[in-house]
Amino acid sequence: MMTDQADGLRRLMTSSAGRLVAVLGGEPRIDVGSVSRNLAAALVRKGKEVLVLDECGGAPSPHAQRAGRLVLMNAMLSREGALSPLAAQADHILVVLQPNAASITQTYACIKRLQHVHALQRLRVLVHGAANAAEAQSILVNLARTANCYLALALEPAGWVRADPLLAQAQRLDLTVVEAFQGSFAAMDYCQIAADLLQWPTLVAKGQKASPRPVLTASQAARPVPRCADAAVLNTSIVKRAGVHLNVHT
């Protein structure tokens, strides 16, 4: 049961000063499992023990059998946009998006729902499949500005993974790109994200009980998300990426 799994994980984290990172896609087409597996492989290369949990089903990660101190969870949202009780205990929530207008729009809606349901103050965002660093940085900066202005939410950049045909080739080999093609652009990007992740602060001190994020009841979550006082302005706010202008709607 999820409750039993959550209790067991909390005991593991408390005893090992571990951290939990919930990884979720800003829209359904994001392969969160692949992101977590590659990130886990990069962390293992840095000597870290990693446990990967999957709420979305599918085959277990090759790193999932290692009881570890750093836990990556492939998180799945409810229909109301709520995290599971286990994912809600995470030190960090990492939202993955793709560099196209549809993904940015859906990711913004996902982030807004998360903020509404859990009263989040901050989360992290990763751009997957960027043409280059400049494109990814443009998306991250403008999305962060929009969220800060209209949601009072801090979006912190987690980095980016460049578009790389070797990602698909590694999947065909049933390997991560970090394992199969260590010198590839994608592998190097994952290793950089892993190095940065190790510097993210642990939000719950060892020996302290994690405080779950607040969550609305089903009836509360089903209510429409409140519109900003400056809703007319928000409706015309722009997220810019590589020359593309995207309207972000409430």
Side-chain angles (χ1 to χ4, degrees), residues 100-250:
N100 60 69
S103 184
I104 297 171
T105 301
Q106 292 181 61
T107 298
Y108 183 82
C110 171
I111 289 170
K112 185 170 184 178
R113 175 58 66 177
L114 277 170
Q115 196 274 343
H116 174 60
V117 174
H118 292 284
L120 298 178
Q121 295 181 337
R122 66 184 62 248
L123 52 77
R124 295 179 183 270
V125 181
L126 184 152
V127 179
H128 198 277
N132 50 54
E135 179 185 53
Q137 289 171 335
S138 177
I139 294 170
L140 292 170
V141 168
N142 286 283
L143 192 58
R145 286 175 179 169
T146 304
N148 180 65
C149 181
Y150 298 108
L151 303 179
L153 176 66
L155 295 186
E156 300 179 353
W160 54 85
V161 177
R162 283 167 286 182
D164 191 334
L166 292 177
L167 278 164
Q169 178 63 13
Q171 285 190 316
R172 287 190 286 269
L173 297 172
D174 198 24
L175 294 169
T176 67
V177 74
V178 174
E179 295 166 317
F181 305 106
Q182 297 181 12
S184 65
F185 289 135
M188 290 187 289
D189 291 340
Y190 271 114
C191 288
Q192 181 60 59
I193 295 166
D196 293 341
L197 186 153
L198 295 176
Q199 303 304 313
W200 296 356
T202 301
L203 303 185
V204 179
K206 183 177 180 179
Q208 293 182 350
K209 184 178 180 180
S211 298
R213 288 181 170 84
V215 60
L216 302 179
T217 63
S219 60
Q220 290 172 327
R223 298 173 187 168
V225 178
R227 295 172 65 87
C228 301
D230 294 329
V233 178
L234 178 57
N235 283 334
T236 58
S237 67
I238 303 296
V239 172
K240 302 174 183 176
R241 72 165 183 87
V244 175
H245 297 272
L246 171 65
N247 289 322
V248 180
H249 300 283
T250 52

Side-chain angles (χ1 to χ4, degrees), residues 5 37 42 49 62 67 84 95 100 104 144-145 159 250:
Q5 186 182 32
R37 289 191 296 273
E49 294 184 355
S84 70
V95 180
N100 60 69
I104 297 171
R145 286 175 179 169
T250 52

